[in-house]
Amino acid sequence: MYFERFDPLQGQCLQILDPMGKVQEDLRPDLPDSRVKQLYERMSVMRLADQMAMSLQREGGMGTYAPFYGQEAAQASAAFLQPADWMVPSYRETGALFLRGVPLANLYRYWMGDERGMLMPEGLRILPIAIVVGSQPLHAVGLSWAMKLKGEKAAAVAYFGDGASSQGDVHEAMNFAGVFQTPTVFLCQNNQFAISLPRKQQTAAATIAQRASSYGFPGLLIDGNDIFAVAAAMTEALADVRAGKGPRLIEMLTYRLGPHTTADDPTKYRASGEIEKYKPFDPLLRLRRYLESRKLWDETAEKDLVQRGQAEVEDAAKKAKAIAPAVPDDIFAYTYRTLPPYLKRQQEDLRAFLKEQAAVEAHHG
Amino acid sequence: MAKLNLVSALNMALDQEMARNDRMLILGEDVGREGGVFRVTDGLQKKYGAARVVDTPLAESAILGAALGLAAGGMLPVAEIQFEGFIHVAMDQLCNQIGRYRNRSRGRYGLSLVIRVPWGGGIHAPEHHSDSPEALLAHTPGLTVVQPSNPADAKGLLLAALRLGEPVVFCEPKRIYRAIKAEVPEGDYTVPIGKAAVARQGKDLTIVAWGAMMREALEAAEELQAQGASAEVIDLRTLSPMDSETVVESVRKTGRLVIAHEAPRTLGLGAEIAARVGEEALTSLLAPIERVTGFDTVMPLSQLEDYYLPDHRRVLAGARKVLAA
Ligand SMILES: Cc1ncc(C[n+]2csc(CCOP(=O)(O)OP(=O)(O)O)c2C)c(N)n1
């Protein structure tokens, strides 16, 4: 019903929870209070996890990290996937991956420059994160096509940003999905920036959601800082695609409160007052207002949550730091199923070189 | 003369040519307000306006395809691809279109355009931000591929590239963007494209390198000197069309050759250099040619990156091997 009622071409945007924490009852998706509370808790821990990553980076233990500060509700979209669904993430999906069950320590480990962090736990249907912007929606199309061919009632969800929507690959992915009616959900997290470029300079179209119509399937623009809208859109889109009704596009309008990555300085391109304007729309703040107004949450619960959450992320950071560093042999282990002889020789050469160096250094040291 | 790093030297070249040639425009992701993620285009949008320093949508194929059209239309586009790993997204435009345009148009459209690309590893960046796909480009007929190794060359080569009348891929070794400071002439000058430089004279062996590997090669040569061996170090500077004559000439003198590059070994530029030396100076060789290179694997993330990238110690080991033979 959401996709039918809200037409992005008419400038409509689905919002259920307003910034003051009031819910529009006739649009409310079927979410019991306990579930809403749980979502709030996981989103809060997500934010703590994000902050922990930022401080790990500042300590020097991490290379580059892409924070999702301000995008917690959109990241919580992952909570609505079923185990049989595939998640096809970009580099900004740390929160979503965490929610889907990837251990936080693994995610930290990856950003610490250790590829082993990208080994997904057995049984979790998640592709490795995509760094090449816009490459992964095509993979989601193929994956969901495979589900369809095998008769599985499952979807693949492609996560990408507003910047990515300018890539040819993303257009091609949507076109394929439309033509082959694949069970794909295109999930655009529009955080209004691609590094320094504001969304308005990314496309002259009013919305990204409206593109769906030109590929022959429905699109929906939602307030991506509103967990109720996220829940409503995800639930409906996933049910529709699993039922064989073809692909769906959801544009989640949010705002990147932090830098693009830890290597980026947003003061170069963003007016200082701009962030303040968006702070009242903070997805956590809104949800907390709602919970408090329903007497489901209070100061004590919040304190307790922060304490537990902090312990959880500190534990993950400790675990990540404690993992023994990857060894050079790891470089050679996965390029091919079996090492060709010349590559084996390269590996042996490196081993010999390192042994020799160690001997030289021991001699001098 | 001021002491500048590579970033400032490149910025100076762009600035000077923008002022000289009003047909020049810069386009790419984050090149305007942000000044590029490495700040190479810093301040240029303020100075020349948003119509000449253009922040484009995130689409490499569009950036290069449009650059082709702009060049055919009489402009001088300078496109930035943010990191070398993303040039693949535009490979059709680059290899199938830009590289072949002079030939396809029977010489009518010799495209004047420069594609600047931060290049290579060593800065502990995420996946796809540390590769050296130079061989892919050098293997493409019609593309000129340049890689400077120091600030003064960077400025002179970029000015030469902007005036060449050919599509040039200008690879900027990001590892030394800020690691080297050197005297850079303030005035207008060019460093010839297609000419290698003898960066250091020597008689016992030849070391060929380019880009960031030049630092490692020169450091290895320093150490060799202390050990009584004199290495001639050649900076290839233009990777394609390649000046192998300078290398061959040097090998005729020294009889020994080490080629150092950070790209994977198989079918890397080292293979081509070795083949040319084999063809033209085989009888001068006193030892088998040694290649010191990256591995034929995916470039690892930061934890293992230093094992992948050949450093001066590995160049030194290669040199010892050819000297011992
Ligand atoms: C093909 C490609 N080009 C350039 C980059 C460099 N880059 C990384 S993230 C980014 C901006 C992406 O913006 P958007 O798609 O809106 O996603 P966001 O980062 O805001 O989540 C750019 C240009 C890249 N990773 N891949």
Side-chain angles (χ1 to χ4, degrees):
Chain A
M1 71 146 178
Y2 300 103
F3 278 83
E4 261 173 29
R5 277 179 63 181
F6 291 83
D7 181 359
L9 277 166
Q10 305 299 320
Q12 288 169 313
C13 174
L14 172 66
Q15 183 187 74
I16 302 173
L17 177 71
D18 79 7
M20 294 320 294
K22 265 187 61 159
V23 156
Q24 197 171 327
E25 288 301 334
D26 62 324
L27 292 174
R28 194 186 213 290
D30 181 24
L31 277 182
D33 285 344
S34 60
R35 178 90 167 119
V36 180
K37 231 166 87 171
Q38 186 201 30
L39 283 165
Y40 176 72
E41 295 196 7
R42 293 328 284 162
M43 282 162 60
S44 299
V45 180
M46 222 190 251
R47 177 168 294 181
L48 294 172
D50 192 51
Q51 287 166 350
M52 175 55 82
M54 292 295 277
S55 59
L56 285 171
Q57 200 279 336
R58 275 191 293 267
E59 274 173 25
M62 226 179 234
T64 307
Y65 171 73
F68 55 86
Y69 177 34
Q71 301 179 219
E72 291 84 355
Q75 297 269 320
S77 54
F80 304 94
L81 274 68
Q82 285 169 3
D85 297 328
W86 279 91
M87 183 176 162
V88 184
S90 87
Y91 48 82
R92 203 175 297 284
E93 267 64 74
T94 302
L97 291 166
F98 168 57
L99 205 75
R100 187 147 170 88
V102 183
L104 207 46
N106 288 25
L107 297 166
Y108 288 161
R109 199 67 200 163
Y110 177 78
W111 290 106
M112 288 172 167
D114 181 351
E115 268 123 311
R116 292 174 301 176
M118 214 20 57
L119 177 62
M120 296 298 167
E122 199 72 54
L124 266 192
R125 292 191 147 186
I126 305 175
L127 288 195
I129 69 168
I131 302 283
V132 179
V133 168
S135 56
Q136 73 281 16
L138 282 164
H139 310 157
V141 169
L143 259 179
S144 56
W145 194 354
M147 299 300 106
K148 182 177 166 171
L149 293 172
K150 293 196 294 184
E152 288 182 31
K153 293 258 170 283
V157 182
Y159 284 78
F160 57 99
D162 43 309
S165 73
S166 296
Q167 289 282 8
D169 276 2
V170 175
H171 295 276
E172 293 172 29
M174 291 192 199
N175 193 44
F176 257 53
V179 167
F180 297 111
Q181 290 290 293
T182 57
T184 322
V185 176
F186 294 96
L187 197 168
C188 179
Q189 265 181 93
N190 174 1
N191 64 12
Q192 306 193 39
F193 284 97
I195 309 192
S196 69
L197 199 72
R199 212 286 296 160
K200 278 206 160 50
Q201 279 178 267
Q202 196 66 247
T203 165
T207 70
I208 292 163
Q210 75 193 44
R211 278 198 198 155
S213 69
S214 52
Y215 298 111
F217 55 86
L220 177 68
L221 173 66
I222 72 165
D223 178 341
N225 281 4
D226 165 2
I227 190 65
F228 288 93
V230 169
M234 285 303 286
T235 311
E236 184 169 285
L238 284 164
D240 283 354
V241 306
R242 285 192 209 104
K245 295 185 186 167
R248 296 288 183 270
L249 166 63
I250 305 170
E251 175 182 358
M252 298 189 174
L253 185 60
T254 175
Y255 186 83
R256 196 188 80 207
L257 288 170
H260 167 71
T261 66
T262 46
D264 171 50
D265 171 16
T267 61
K268 285 277 286 187
Y269 53 83
R270 194 149 72 179
S272 58
E274 194 182 298
I275 287 194
E276 298 311 313
K277 234 177 51 200
Y278 281 95
K279 283 214 167 132
F281 300 96
D282 182 329
L284 282 175
L285 194 67
R286 285 160 78 165
L287 190 51
R288 184 170 167 190
R289 280 194 180 128
Y290 166 81
L291 289 169
E292 283 175 349
S293 74
R294 304 271 313 248
K295 302 269 180 289
L296 294 166
W297 201 252
D298 58 21
E299 201 57 49
T300 322
E302 181 72 18
K303 266 206 185 116
D304 178 54
L305 167 65
V306 171
Q307 208 167 43
R308 274 184 293 126
Q310 198 57 35
E312 186 178 342
V313 304
E314 272 166 24
D315 184 55
K318 220 160 73 196
K319 271 203 189 108
K321 287 190 219 170
I323 296 170
V327 293
D329 272 348
D330 231 46
I331 297 174
F332 299 89
Y334 306 104
T335 306
Y336 298 104
R337 190 166 179 183
T338 50
L339 271 187
Y342 62 90
L343 202 45
K344 179 103 196 100
R345 241 180 351 259
Q346 291 180 17
Q347 182 179 29
E348 277 156 13
D349 283 351
L350 177 61
R351 281 182 190 154
F353 171 77
L354 292 172
K355 217 166 130 186
E356 206 181 283
Q357 284 302 315
V360 171
E361 269 149 39
H363 182 72
H364 289 297
Chain B
M1 272 199 284
K3 279 201 150 194
L4 298 181
N5 63 25
L6 225 86
V7 168
S8 307
L10 291 165
N11 182 272
M12 188 190 256
L14 291 170
D15 188 1
Q16 290 178 355
E17 199 64 9
M18 284 290 272
R20 211 180 73 99
N21 181 352
D22 62 11
R23 298 215 161 175
M24 174 171 155
L25 80 166
I26 293 173
L27 70 161
E29 293 155 16
D30 305 289
V31 295
R33 221 164 328 176
E34 171 110 331
V37 290
F38 290 103
R39 305 282 183 261
V40 174
T41 54
D42 211 15
L44 298 178
Q45 190 181 64
K46 262 211 181 94
K47 198 158 166 188
Y48 299 101
R52 289 189 67 196
V53 181
V54 188
D55 278 322
T56 67
L58 209 179
E60 288 75 10
S61 188
I63 293 169
L64 295 199
L68 185 159
L70 281 160
M75 302 299 288
L76 172 60
V78 179
E80 177 178 303
I81 298 292
Q82 207 157 64
F83 284 86
E84 75 292 314
F86 313 134
I87 204 165
H88 299 86
V89 175
M91 224 51 170
D92 173 58
Q93 290 301 331
L94 189 60
C95 299
N96 284 340
Q97 314 301 332
I98 291 170
R100 305 170 76 105
Y101 233 72
R102 179 183 294 282
N103 184 64
R104 180 185 305 156
S105 64
R106 299 283 88 193
R108 172 80 66 222
Y109 301 110
L111 303 172
S112 267
L113 72 92
V114 173
I115 301 157
R116 295 184 31 253
V117 198
W119 206 262
I123 62 158
H124 288 193
E127 194 184 1
H128 308 298
H129 290 68
S130 307
D131 294 332
S132 302
E134 61 212 18
L136 286 174
L137 307 177
H139 196 66
T140 300
L143 293 181
T144 295
V145 186
V146 173
Q147 189 164 166
S149 70
N150 62 71
D153 275 7
K155 179 180 168 186
L157 283 167
L158 184 51
L159 285 172
L162 291 164
R163 299 167 193 175
L164 189 67
E166 296 275 12
V168 178
V169 182
F170 198 85
C171 315
E172 301 172 2
K174 56 180 97 89
R175 171 154 47 127
I176 54 167
Y177 258 152
R178 293 176 188 279
I180 300 178
K181 262 195 176 182
E183 303 274 329
V184 175
E186 261 138 54
D188 188 64
Y189 68 96
T190 56
V191 170
I193 297 212
K195 282 297 304 163
V198 179
R200 183 187 169 113
Q201 305 266 355
K203 56 179 181 29
D204 298 327
L205 79 156
T206 302
I207 305 176
V208 181
W210 53 91
M213 282 305 295
M214 273 301 290
R215 266 214 321 176
E216 310 299 333
L218 288 168
E219 200 173 332
E222 245 350 272
E223 286 199 25
L224 283 167
Q225 192 69 56
Q227 295 162 17
S230 118
E232 180 142 302
V233 182
I234 293 176
D235 181 352
L236 209 54
R237 294 202 294 208
T238 299
L239 311 187
S240 181
M242 183 192 282
D243 173 14
S244 44
E245 289 77 12
T246 299
V247 181
V248 168
E249 200 180 307
S250 174
V251 173
R252 285 205 177 111
K253 184 171 70 174
T254 64
R256 294 180 161 89
L257 177 61
V258 174
I259 307 153
H261 64 66
E262 63 179 79
R265 170 172 306 192
T266 298
L267 300 172
L269 263 54
E272 179 61 29
I273 295 169
R276 291 195 193 182
V277 169
E279 282 162 6
E280 293 176 38
L282 187 67
T283 52
S284 305
L285 282 173
L286 303 169
I289 296 166
E290 183 68 16
R291 282 182 287 165
V292 178
T293 66
F295 307 116
D296 295 335
T297 66
V298 172
M299 175 79 186
L301 291 186
S302 62
Q303 283 214 356
L304 297 175
E305 188 179 22
D306 291 344
Y307 292 107
Y308 182 97
L309 291 174
D311 60 3
H312 74 278
R313 298 171 314 160
R314 266 170 67 192
V315 179
L316 205 55
R320 287 216 191 87
K321 208 166 147 191
V322 300
L323 286 168

